[in-house]
Amino acid sequence: MKFCLLKKYSLLVLLVLLFCYGHLYAQQPLLLSKAIQTGLNNYQTIKVKEHILNASNYLLQNTKNEYLPNVVASLQQNYGSINGLYGPAAPYGALGISSAGPVFNSQQWNAAFGSLYLISSNWEAFTFGRKQSTIAAAQAQVKTDSSDVEQEKFILGVKIAGAYFDLITARELLAEAEANLSRADTFRNVVLVRTLNGLNPGVDSSIANSEYANAKLVLIDAITNKQQAESALAQLLRQSPESFLVDTFFVTHLPSNYTTSSNTADNPQLKFFNNKIHQSEIQTNAIKKSILPGINLFGIFQTRGSGFGTQYSTAFPNDYSKSYFDGITPLRSNYVAGLSLAFNIMSITKVKQQVLAQKEITEAYKQQYDEVAVQLQNTLVLADQRIQNTLLSYKEVPVQLKAASDAFLQKKVLYENGLATIVDLQQALYLVNRAETSAKLAYINVWQALLLKVAASGDWNLLIQQIN
């Protein structure tokens, strides 16, 4: 009996331990590096741009394959008549039947089988740099699309880090709101006891109740703010909103490095616009060279069969066979080989406007580059200023917090002894709440300032290497 009870208790303890372990495992914090990687893997915009990049790579390979010769094989078997007629004909704008036969005095409907087998090769062997410029344009497109993917990843990473820090801020403000509510409750109880004992006027309890209600409203706002921050982060991670457990490292440590060797020119956004400018210039060159001629090497070998005999004419109108195999059997073969040079004389006039249009596009890209460069440079200067300011605030926060805490304790003791008014105590409570809020945000404000510098300089490692 004792053994059974011991076995049951052991099983119960094991289940409790497993539950606690599972609960602890489920509550593992979402690290910033993990959040960024999750967002990069799930975000649809990045997947869209990656597909576009893949398409550019395929088109580049297709452009390179355009240099290969064209080789066409044709097998034709037909049945029909071969009446001939003297007179000119032009194939332009109309389709017709190509027949080669004698000219009879009247229409003949004699028909037989015929065949044509040929292999044709055409190779534009030399283009004076035209095809090379087309390949260069395709390569520039690939480079631009690749940098577009990289800038999208960088921007998303910054957004996720910003949302992550916003969530930390929201959680810290929530914790402070909870502490403020607890302090207001204690404050209310002290005032209520003294009011009931006739030591303070009744209005003091009303003020204390108002302060407690206000603390509740602040807590509700803090909960709403936290939920909104969680929703914003979940949207960037492409996950359903949940109560994320964030890393407390950012509220207990300061960055160890604030400097970077990178400048705004290394920012993925500027690299993207720089590649667009380069691509447009390469495209302009390709348009210019599109007017160049090409030297073609060609060769054709064909063999034919016919059901009509060699003497089929007005004198021998019956020299033909209705047999299918007589018509498809090859009887005569020919070949031709040579080279040609083709040049569209009017293409210079046609291409001129395209070149001018592409140059205007290049100038537009340059204007975009300059605008973004100025914005990033100004942001970089602002980031350094914010880092300095937040570090100064961090140093002053302990002094402010100690002074506010001492003042609140002093006013509380004075109030309990009837030497201070409720207004004095209320003002001291405001000061300590503000000081504790500043203390809660002192660390994360520095990290947010550092993130602003990362976003401007493009040096993502400045942040990542300090959190891994």
Side-chain angles (χ1 to χ4, degrees):
M1 182 69 178
K2 290 182 179 179
F3 176 76
C4 292
L5 288 174
L6 181 60
K7 186 176 181 181
K8 289 181 179 179
Y9 287 143
S10 299
L11 180 60
L12 179 61
V13 171
L14 178 61
L15 291 174
V16 170
L17 290 176
L18 288 174
F19 173 79
C20 292
Y21 176 79
H23 179 70
L24 289 174
Y25 180 79
Q27 292 297 312
Q28 289 296 316
L30 174 66
L31 300 179
L32 176 57
S33 56
K34 178 64 176 178
I36 293 173
Q37 191 59 49
T38 301
L40 295 180
N41 292 337
N42 296 340
Y43 209 69
Q44 282 89 346
T45 303
I46 291 179
K47 293 181 179 180
V48 168
K49 293 183 181 294
E50 287 176 340
H51 285 304
I52 293 174
L53 173 60
N54 292 338
S56 296
N57 278 303
Y58 288 130
L59 291 174
L60 170 60
Q61 188 59 46
N62 178 72
T63 303
K64 292 180 178 179
N65 291 341
E66 289 293 328
Y67 189 70
L68 298 175
N70 298 318
V71 180
V72 178
S74 174
L75 290 82
Q76 176 180 320
Q77 296 177 355
N78 46 52
Y79 179 82
S81 59
I82 60 169
N83 289 293
L85 183 67
Y86 295 119
Y92 181 78
L95 298 176
I97 299 175
S98 177
S99 298
V103 180
F104 285 89
N105 293 329
S106 61
Q107 172 67 37
Q108 299 293 318
W109 294 109
N110 299 332
F113 288 97
S115 60
L116 174 65
Y117 312 100
L118 68 83
I119 183 167
S120 171
S121 176
N122 178 52
W123 182 34
E124 193 174 29
F126 192 69
T127 61
F128 302 93
R130 171 163 45 83
K131 283 195 173 179
Q132 288 78 358
S133 66
T134 304
I135 293 174
Q139 290 172 334
Q141 181 67 57
V142 171
K143 190 174 182 180
T144 298
D145 291 339
S146 177
S147 62
D148 193 16
V149 172
E150 293 305 315
Q151 76 143 352
E152 189 67 30
K153 288 182 178 180
F154 176 75
I155 292 173
L156 178 62
V158 171
K159 287 182 178 179
I160 292 175
Y164 190 91
F165 290 156
D166 287 343
L167 179 56
I168 293 177
T169 301
R171 282 186 168 274
E172 292 301 308
L173 291 176
L174 175 59
E176 175 54 30
E178 291 172 344
N180 182 41
L181 179 64
S182 176
R183 191 182 298 109
D185 187 41
T186 302
F187 168 67
R188 182 185 61 166
N189 291 333
V190 170
V191 173
L192 182 61
V193 170
R194 293 185 59 81
T195 302
L196 292 176
N197 292 328
L199 299 176
N200 290 98
V203 69
D204 284 11
S205 62
S206 298
I207 295 175
N209 288 331
S210 174
E211 190 66 32
Y212 180 75
N214 180 66
K216 274 189 173 181
L217 293 175
V218 171
L219 178 61
I220 293 172
D221 289 340
I223 293 174
T224 301
N225 187 40
K226 181 186 78 76
Q227 292 171 342
Q228 290 175 343
E230 288 173 340
S231 177
L233 180 59
Q235 183 176 355
L236 291 172
L237 302 185
R238 285 300 184 264
Q239 295 180 354
S240 57
E242 59 180 274
S243 181
F244 295 105
L245 185 61
V246 292
D247 191 0
T248 58
F249 173 83
F250 299 102
V251 293
T252 56
H253 296 79
L254 289 177
S256 58
N257 181 30
Y258 302 94
T259 61
T260 174
S261 59
S262 300
N263 52 43
T264 54
D266 298 320
N267 193 295
Q269 298 175 80
L270 280 184
K271 287 183 177 180
F272 169 67
F273 283 107
N274 190 49
N275 285 332
K276 289 184 71 174
I277 293 171
H278 178 69
Q279 178 198 348
S280 185
E281 291 173 342
I282 294 295
Q283 185 63 36
T284 302
N285 184 57
I287 294 173
K288 289 179 179 178
K289 290 190 175 183
S290 66
I291 66 175
L292 296 175
I295 296 179
N296 291 271
L297 302 179
F298 62 90
I300 302 174
F301 176 82
Q302 75 172 29
T303 183
R304 296 182 62 186
S306 176
F308 290 93
T310 58
Q311 297 183 359
Y312 180 73
S313 64
T314 56
F316 301 95
N318 296 320
D319 187 19
Y320 68 94
S321 172
K322 293 284 188 179
S323 171
Y324 170 72
F325 292 101
D326 288 342
I328 67 171
T329 302
L331 297 175
R332 298 290 186 273
S333 299
N334 290 289
Y335 71 89
V336 64
L339 59 87
S340 67
L341 175 67
F343 180 69
N344 187 345
I345 299 175
M346 298 303 297
S347 59
I348 298 177
T349 304
K350 296 179 180 179
V351 166
K352 181 179 179 181
Q353 303 305 319
Q354 297 180 34
V355 172
L356 293 176
Q358 195 63 45
K359 286 183 177 180
E360 290 297 326
I361 293 175
T362 302
E363 290 302 318
Y365 290 155
K366 288 180 179 179
Q367 293 296 326
Q368 288 181 315
Y369 179 93
D370 292 340
E371 181 181 2
V372 175
V374 171
Q375 291 176 352
L376 291 178
Q377 186 60 43
N378 292 339
T379 304
L380 186 60
V381 174
L382 176 62
D384 286 329
Q385 293 173 344
R386 283 190 58 180
I387 289 174
Q388 295 299 322
N389 293 338
T390 53
L391 287 175
L392 291 175
S393 298
Y394 166 78
K395 293 178 182 179
E396 294 298 327
V397 159
V399 178
Q400 180 193 23
L401 180 60
K402 185 178 185 307
S405 299
D406 292 344
F408 175 72
L409 180 61
Q410 181 189 47
K411 294 299 181 182
K412 183 173 179 294
V413 172
L414 291 175
Y415 179 80
E416 290 174 349
N417 290 279
L419 300 177
T421 65
I422 187 67
V423 175
D424 296 331
L425 184 58
Q426 188 180 32
Q427 184 63 32
L429 181 63
Y430 288 154
L431 293 176
V432 75
N433 288 341
R434 186 176 65 183
E436 287 191 351
T437 300
S438 299
K440 289 282 186 180
L441 302 181
Y443 287 92
I444 194 62
N445 285 341
V446 179
W447 285 103
Q448 288 178 323
L450 182 67
L451 178 61
L452 183 62
K453 185 168 185 177
V454 170
S457 66
D459 185 8
W460 190 240
N461 291 326
L462 180 61
L463 174 64
I464 295 300
Q465 290 179 351
Q466 300 191 63
I467 64 176
N468 290 335

